[in-house]
PDB file of all heavy atoms in Angstrom:
ATOM      1  N   PHE G 213     -48.874   3.791  27.241  1.00 95.00           N
ATOM      2  CA  PHE G 213     -49.235   3.329  28.577  1.00 95.00           C
ATOM      3  C   PHE G 213     -50.421   2.365  28.563  1.00 95.00           C
ATOM      4  O   PHE G 213     -50.783   1.822  29.603  1.00 95.00           O
ATOM      5  CB  PHE G 213     -49.505   4.510  29.499  1.00 95.00           C
ATOM      6  CG  PHE G 213     -48.257   5.224  29.934  1.00 95.00           C
ATOM      7  CD1 PHE G 213     -47.824   6.371  29.262  1.00 95.00           C
ATOM      8  CD2 PHE G 213     -47.508   4.745  30.977  1.00 95.00           C
ATOM      9  CE1 PHE G 213     -46.663   7.017  29.659  1.00 95.00           C
ATOM     10  CE2 PHE G 213     -46.336   5.389  31.377  1.00 95.00           C
ATOM     11  CZ  PHE G 213     -45.915   6.527  30.708  1.00 95.00           C
ATOM     12  N   ALA G 214     -51.032   2.134  27.407  1.00 91.00           N
ATOM     13  CA  ALA G 214     -52.060   1.079  27.334  1.00 91.00           C
ATOM     14  C   ALA G 214     -51.447  -0.300  27.474  1.00 91.00           C
ATOM     15  O   ALA G 214     -52.089  -1.240  27.917  1.00 91.00           O
ATOM     16  CB  ALA G 214     -52.825   1.176  26.018  1.00 91.00           C
ATOM     17  N   TRP G 215     -50.179  -0.432  27.049  1.00 88.00           N
ATOM     18  CA  TRP G 215     -49.519  -1.740  27.046  1.00 88.00           C
ATOM     19  C   TRP G 215     -49.640  -2.405  28.409  1.00 88.00           C
ATOM     20  O   TRP G 215     -49.429  -1.754  29.438  1.00 88.00           O
ATOM     21  CB  TRP G 215     -48.035  -1.555  26.699  1.00 88.00           C
ATOM     22  CG  TRP G 215     -47.278  -2.840  26.584  1.00 88.00           C
ATOM     23  CD1 TRP G 215     -47.065  -3.555  25.455  1.00 88.00           C
ATOM     24  CD2 TRP G 215     -46.649  -3.573  27.638  1.00 88.00           C
ATOM     25  NE1 TRP G 215     -46.346  -4.697  25.736  1.00 88.00           N
ATOM     26  CE2 TRP G 215     -46.078  -4.727  27.077  1.00 88.00           C
ATOM     27  CE3 TRP G 215     -46.537  -3.382  29.018  1.00 88.00           C
ATOM     28  CZ2 TRP G 215     -45.394  -5.667  27.829  1.00 88.00           C
ATOM     29  CZ3 TRP G 215     -45.877  -4.316  29.785  1.00 88.00           C
ATOM     30  CH2 TRP G 215     -45.292  -5.450  29.197  1.00 88.00           C
ATOM     31  N   PRO G 216     -49.989  -3.706  28.487  1.00 87.00           N
ATOM     32  CA  PRO G 216     -50.217  -4.634  27.375  1.00 87.00           C
ATOM     33  C   PRO G 216     -51.686  -4.858  27.067  1.00 87.00           C
ATOM     34  O   PRO G 216     -52.072  -5.932  26.633  1.00 87.00           O
ATOM     35  CB  PRO G 216     -49.608  -5.920  27.930  1.00 87.00           C
ATOM     36  CG  PRO G 216     -49.944  -5.861  29.393  1.00 87.00           C
ATOM     37  CD  PRO G 216     -49.925  -4.405  29.787  1.00 87.00           C
ATOM     38  N   ASN G 217     -52.548  -3.857  27.280  1.00 89.00           N
ATOM     39  CA  ASN G 217     -53.984  -4.025  27.139  1.00 89.00           C
ATOM     40  C   ASN G 217     -54.536  -3.286  25.926  1.00 89.00           C
ATOM     41  O   ASN G 217     -53.873  -2.420  25.350  1.00 89.00           O
ATOM     42  CB  ASN G 217     -54.702  -3.518  28.411  1.00 89.00           C
ATOM     43  CG  ASN G 217     -54.262  -4.283  29.646  1.00 89.00           C
ATOM     44  OD1 ASN G 217     -54.239  -5.487  29.661  1.00 89.00           O
ATOM     45  ND2 ASN G 217     -53.901  -3.554  30.704  1.00 89.00           N
ATOM     46  N   VAL G 218     -55.766  -3.634  25.582  1.00 91.00           N
ATOM     47  CA  VAL G 218     -56.517  -2.941  24.542  1.00 91.00           C
ATOM     48  C   VAL G 218     -57.748  -2.335  25.204  1.00 91.00           C
ATOM     49  O   VAL G 218     -58.403  -2.988  26.019  1.00 91.00           O
ATOM     50  CB  VAL G 218     -56.942  -3.911  23.409  1.00 91.00           C
ATOM     51  CG1 VAL G 218     -57.824  -3.211  22.402  1.00 91.00           C
ATOM     52  CG2 VAL G 218     -55.709  -4.511  22.745  1.00 91.00           C
ATOM     53  N   PHE G 219     -58.065  -1.094  24.836  1.00 91.00           N
ATOM     54  CA  PHE G 219     -59.211  -0.395  25.413  1.00 91.00           C
ATOM     55  C   PHE G 219     -60.157   0.047  24.293  1.00 91.00           C
ATOM     56  O   PHE G 219     -59.709   0.547  23.266  1.00 91.00           O
ATOM     57  CB  PHE G 219     -58.762   0.826  26.215  1.00 91.00           C
ATOM     58  CG  PHE G 219     -57.916   0.481  27.416  1.00 91.00           C
ATOM     59  CD1 PHE G 219     -56.565   0.272  27.288  1.00 91.00           C
ATOM     60  CD2 PHE G 219     -58.496   0.369  28.669  1.00 91.00           C
ATOM     61  CE1 PHE G 219     -55.776  -0.044  28.384  1.00 91.00           C
ATOM     62  CE2 PHE G 219     -57.733   0.053  29.784  1.00 91.00           C
ATOM     63  CZ  PHE G 219     -56.365  -0.159  29.636  1.00 91.00           C
ATOM     64  N   VAL G 220     -61.448  -0.143  24.522  1.00 90.00           N
ATOM     65  CA  VAL G 220     -62.462   0.209  23.524  1.00 90.00           C
ATOM     66  C   VAL G 220     -63.510   1.106  24.169  1.00 90.00           C
ATOM     67  O   VAL G 220     -63.942   0.863  25.302  1.00 90.00           O
ATOM     68  CB  VAL G 220     -63.149  -1.052  22.954  1.00 90.00           C
ATOM     69  CG1 VAL G 220     -64.221  -0.650  21.948  1.00 90.00           C
ATOM     70  CG2 VAL G 220     -62.123  -1.968  22.305  1.00 90.00           C
ATOM     71  N   LYS G 221     -63.895   2.141  23.436  1.00 87.00           N
ATOM     72  CA  LYS G 221     -65.038   2.980  23.838  1.00 87.00           C
ATOM     73  C   LYS G 221     -65.911   3.165  22.611  1.00 87.00           C
ATOM     74  O   LYS G 221     -65.497   3.798  21.644  1.00 87.00           O
ATOM     75  CB  LYS G 221     -64.546   4.327  24.368  1.00 87.00           C
ATOM     76  CG  LYS G 221     -65.670   5.234  24.839  1.00 87.00           C
ATOM     77  CD  LYS G 221     -65.150   6.451  25.611  1.00 87.00           C
ATOM     78  CE  LYS G 221     -64.338   7.364  24.738  1.00 87.00           C
ATOM     79  NZ  LYS G 221     -63.926   8.603  25.450  1.00 87.00           N
ATOM     80  N   ALA G 222     -67.105   2.562  22.617  1.00 83.00           N
ATOM     81  CA  ALA G 222     -67.955   2.590  21.425  1.00 83.00           C
ATOM     82  C   ALA G 222     -69.380   3.031  21.727  1.00 83.00           C
ATOM     83  O   ALA G 222     -70.176   3.170  20.796  1.00 83.00           O
ATOM     84  CB  ALA G 222     -67.978   1.220  20.765  1.00 83.00           C
ATOM     85  N   SER G 223     -69.722   3.268  22.987  1.00 78.00           N
ATOM     86  CA  SER G 223     -71.071   3.662  23.334  1.00 78.00           C
ATOM     87  C   SER G 223     -71.312   5.136  22.977  1.00 78.00           C
ATOM     88  O   SER G 223     -70.392   5.948  22.964  1.00 78.00           O
ATOM     89  CB  SER G 223     -71.328   3.463  24.838  1.00 78.00           C
ATOM     90  OG  SER G 223     -71.151   2.113  25.201  1.00 78.00           O
ATOM     91  N   GLU G 224     -72.578   5.459  22.688  1.00 75.00           N
ATOM     92  CA  GLU G 224     -72.956   6.856  22.506  1.00 75.00           C
ATOM     93  C   GLU G 224     -72.734   7.584  23.839  1.00 75.00           C
ATOM     94  O   GLU G 224     -72.845   6.984  24.910  1.00 75.00           O
ATOM     95  CB  GLU G 224     -74.439   6.931  22.111  1.00 75.00           C
ATOM     96  CG  GLU G 224     -74.778   6.207  20.827  1.00 75.00           C
ATOM     97  CD  GLU G 224     -74.449   7.033  19.580  1.00 75.00           C
ATOM     98  OE1 GLU G 224     -73.886   8.141  19.740  1.00 75.00           O
ATOM     99  OE2 GLU G 224     -74.754   6.577  18.482  1.00 75.00           O
ATOM    100  N   PRO G 225     -72.434   8.876  23.825  1.00 72.00           N
ATOM    101  CA  PRO G 225     -72.344   9.784  22.658  1.00 72.00           C
ATOM    102  C   PRO G 225     -70.945   9.880  22.086  1.00 72.00           C
ATOM    103  O   PRO G 225     -70.675  10.774  21.278  1.00 72.00           O
ATOM    104  CB  PRO G 225     -72.736  11.133  23.294  1.00 72.00           C
ATOM    105  CG  PRO G 225     -72.129  11.068  24.650  1.00 72.00           C
ATOM    106  CD  PRO G 225     -72.275   9.636  25.097  1.00 72.00           C
ATOM    107  N   TRP G 226     -70.046   8.971  22.466  1.00 78.00           N
ATOM    108  CA  TRP G 226     -68.665   9.123  22.078  1.00 78.00           C
ATOM    109  C   TRP G 226     -68.409   8.580  20.671  1.00 78.00           C
ATOM    110  O   TRP G 226     -69.047   7.632  20.231  1.00 78.00           O
ATOM    111  CB  TRP G 226     -67.766   8.362  23.067  1.00 78.00           C
ATOM    112  CG  TRP G 226     -68.104   8.659  24.482  1.00 78.00           C
ATOM    113  CD1 TRP G 226     -68.681   7.833  25.398  1.00 78.00           C
ATOM    114  CD2 TRP G 226     -67.915   9.907  25.148  1.00 78.00           C
ATOM    115  NE1 TRP G 226     -68.853   8.473  26.587  1.00 78.00           N
ATOM    116  CE2 TRP G 226     -68.405   9.750  26.472  1.00 78.00           C
ATOM    117  CE3 TRP G 226     -67.379  11.136  24.769  1.00 78.00           C
ATOM    118  CZ2 TRP G 226     -68.355  10.781  27.407  1.00 78.00           C
ATOM    119  CZ3 TRP G 226     -67.346  12.160  25.699  1.00 78.00           C
ATOM    120  CH2 TRP G 226     -67.830  11.982  26.986  1.00 78.00           C
ATOM    121  N   ALA G 227     -67.448   9.191  19.995  1.00 85.00           N
ATOM    122  CA  ALA G 227     -66.944   8.622  18.758  1.00 85.00           C
ATOM    123  C   ALA G 227     -66.251   7.303  19.093  1.00 85.00           C
ATOM    124  O   ALA G 227     -65.504   7.226  20.073  1.00 85.00           O
ATOM    125  CB  ALA G 227     -65.972   9.582  18.091  1.00 85.00           C
ATOM    126  N   PRO G 228     -66.505   6.231  18.344  1.00 91.00           N
ATOM    127  CA  PRO G 228     -65.870   4.939  18.642  1.00 91.00           C
ATOM    128  C   PRO G 228     -64.348   5.025  18.589  1.00 91.00           C
ATOM    129  O   PRO G 228     -63.781   5.557  17.636  1.00 91.00           O
ATOM    130  CB  PRO G 228     -66.419   4.007  17.559  1.00 91.00           C
ATOM    131  CG  PRO G 228     -67.694   4.656  17.115  1.00 91.00           C
ATOM    132  CD  PRO G 228     -67.443   6.130  17.216  1.00 91.00           C
ATOM    133  N   VAL G 229     -63.704   4.508  19.637  1.00 93.00           N
ATOM    134  CA  VAL G 229     -62.256   4.577  19.750  1.00 93.00           C
ATOM    135  C   VAL G 229     -61.721   3.200  20.146  1.00 93.00           C
ATOM    136  O   VAL G 229     -62.276   2.548  21.028  1.00 93.00           O
ATOM    137  CB  VAL G 229     -61.809   5.608  20.816  1.00 93.00           C
ATOM    138  CG1 VAL G 229     -60.287   5.641  20.934  1.00 93.00           C
ATOM    139  CG2 VAL G 229     -62.333   6.995  20.476  1.00 93.00           C
ATOM    140  N   LEU G 230     -60.637   2.786  19.509  1.00 95.00           N
ATOM    141  CA  LEU G 230     -59.902   1.580  19.918  1.00 95.00           C
ATOM    142  C   LEU G 230     -58.478   2.013  20.226  1.00 95.00           C
ATOM    143  O   LEU G 230     -57.791   2.546  19.351  1.00 95.00           O
ATOM    144  CB  LEU G 230     -59.935   0.520  18.828  1.00 95.00           C
ATOM    145  CG  LEU G 230     -59.352  -0.852  19.207  1.00 95.00           C
ATOM    146  CD1 LEU G 230     -60.051  -1.971  18.447  1.00 95.00           C
ATOM    147  CD2 LEU G 230     -57.851  -0.918  18.930  1.00 95.00           C
ATOM    148  N   ARG G 231     -58.055   1.775  21.458  1.00 95.00           N
ATOM    149  CA  ARG G 231     -56.691   2.148  21.886  1.00 95.00           C
ATOM    150  C   ARG G 231     -55.887   0.883  22.064  1.00 95.00           C
ATOM    151  O   ARG G 231     -56.306  -0.030  22.776  1.00 95.00           O
ATOM    152  CB  ARG G 231     -56.768   2.952  23.176  1.00 95.00           C
ATOM    153  CG  ARG G 231     -57.586   4.245  23.026  1.00 95.00           C
ATOM    154  CD  ARG G 231     -57.785   4.938  24.358  1.00 95.00           C
ATOM    155  NE  ARG G 231     -58.457   6.220  24.192  1.00 95.00           N
ATOM    156  CZ  ARG G 231     -59.672   6.512  24.649  1.00 95.00           C
ATOM    157  NH1 ARG G 231     -60.364   5.599  25.308  1.00 95.00           N
ATOM    158  NH2 ARG G 231     -60.183   7.715  24.464  1.00 95.00           N
ATOM    159  N   TYR G 232     -54.721   0.838  21.440  1.00 95.00           N
ATOM    160  CA  TYR G 232     -53.931  -0.380  21.398  1.00 95.00           C
ATOM    161  C   TYR G 232     -52.473  -0.057  21.732  1.00 95.00           C
ATOM    162  O   TYR G 232     -52.011   1.085  21.587  1.00 95.00           O
ATOM    163  CB  TYR G 232     -54.029  -1.014  20.006  1.00 95.00           C
ATOM    164  CG  TYR G 232     -53.480  -0.137  18.906  1.00 95.00           C
ATOM    165  CD1 TYR G 232     -52.133  -0.214  18.516  1.00 95.00           C
ATOM    166  CD2 TYR G 232     -54.289   0.806  18.266  1.00 95.00           C
ATOM    167  CE1 TYR G 232     -51.633   0.595  17.525  1.00 95.00           C
ATOM    168  CE2 TYR G 232     -53.784   1.632  17.275  1.00 95.00           C
ATOM    169  CZ  TYR G 232     -52.453   1.518  16.913  1.00 95.00           C
ATOM    170  OH  TYR G 232     -51.954   2.349  15.928  1.00 95.00           O
ATOM    171  N   PRO G 233     -51.686  -1.046  22.163  1.00 94.00           N
ATOM    172  CA  PRO G 233     -50.281  -0.800  22.482  1.00 94.00           C
ATOM    173  C   PRO G 233     -49.473  -0.444  21.251  1.00 94.00           C
ATOM    174  O   PRO G 233     -49.533  -1.138  20.237  1.00 94.00           O
ATOM    175  CB  PRO G 233     -49.808  -2.129  23.087  1.00 94.00           C
ATOM    176  CG  PRO G 233     -51.052  -2.852  23.466  1.00 94.00           C
ATOM    177  CD  PRO G 233     -52.094  -2.427  22.483  1.00 94.00           C
ATOM    178  N   THR G 234     -48.715   0.621  21.325  1.00 93.00           N
ATOM    179  CA  THR G 234     -47.906   1.059  20.195  1.00 93.00           C
ATOM    180  C   THR G 234     -46.717   0.138  19.969  1.00 93.00           C
ATOM    181  O   THR G 234     -46.227  -0.508  20.890  1.00 93.00           O
ATOM    182  CB  THR G 234     -47.396   2.494  20.416  1.00 93.00           C
ATOM    183  OG1 THR G 234     -46.676   2.925  19.267  1.00 93.00           O
ATOM    184  CG2 THR G 234     -46.475   2.561  21.630  1.00 93.00           C
ATOM    185  N   ARG G 235     -46.240   0.091  18.753  1.00 87.00           N
ATOM    186  CA  ARG G 235     -44.964  -0.530  18.468  1.00 87.00           C
ATOM    187  C   ARG G 235     -43.860   0.322  19.089  1.00 87.00           C
ATOM    188  O   ARG G 235     -43.955   1.529  19.185  1.00 87.00           O
ATOM    189  CB  ARG G 235     -44.720  -0.619  16.955  1.00 87.00           C
ATOM    190  CG  ARG G 235     -45.732  -1.428  16.219  1.00 87.00           C
ATOM    191  CD  ARG G 235     -45.586  -1.279  14.710  1.00 87.00           C
ATOM    192  NE  ARG G 235     -44.453  -2.038  14.180  1.00 87.00           N
ATOM    193  CZ  ARG G 235     -43.372  -1.512  13.658  1.00 87.00           C
ATOM    194  NH1 ARG G 235     -43.222  -0.196  13.583  1.00 87.00           N
ATOM    195  NH2 ARG G 235     -42.396  -2.260  13.196  1.00 87.00           N
ATOM    196  N   GLY G 236     -42.777  -0.303  19.475  1.00 80.00           N
ATOM    197  CA  GLY G 236     -41.638   0.452  19.983  1.00 80.00           C
ATOM    198  C   GLY G 236     -41.725   0.856  21.429  1.00 80.00           C
ATOM    199  O   GLY G 236     -40.880   1.627  21.903  1.00 80.00           O
ATOM    200  N   VAL G 237     -42.739   0.347  22.160  1.00 84.00           N
ATOM    201  CA  VAL G 237     -42.883   0.759  23.564  1.00 84.00           C
ATOM    202  C   VAL G 237     -41.655   0.390  24.380  1.00 84.00           C
ATOM    203  O   VAL G 237     -41.272   1.097  25.317  1.00 84.00           O
ATOM    204  CB  VAL G 237     -44.166   0.162  24.174  1.00 84.00           C
ATOM    205  CG1 VAL G 237     -44.101  -1.352  24.227  1.00 84.00           C
ATOM    206  CG2 VAL G 237     -44.430   0.725  25.563  1.00 84.00           C
ATOM    207  N   GLY G 238     -41.002  -0.700  24.041  1.00 77.00           N
ATOM    208  CA  GLY G 238     -39.847  -1.145  24.802  1.00 77.00           C
ATOM    209  C   GLY G 238     -38.662  -0.197  24.678  1.00 77.00           C
ATOM    210  O   GLY G 238     -37.758  -0.210  25.535  1.00 77.00           O
ATOM    211  N   ALA G 239     -38.660   0.646  23.650  1.00 74.00           N
ATOM    212  CA  ALA G 239     -37.554   1.592  23.465  1.00 74.00           C
ATOM    213  C   ALA G 239     -37.762   2.902  24.207  1.00 74.00           C
ATOM    214  O   ALA G 239     -36.864   3.742  24.246  1.00 74.00           O
ATOM    215  CB  ALA G 239     -37.390   1.894  21.974  1.00 74.00           C
TER     216      ALA G 239
END
Side-chain angles (χ1 to χ4, degrees):
F213 286 96
W215 184 93
N217 300 311
V218 175
F219 296 84
V220 178
K221 181 169 66 175
S223 300
E224 300 279 4
W226 312 110
V229 179
L230 187 150
R231 300 173 175 114
Y232 62 90
T234 183
R235 299 170 76 247
V237 64

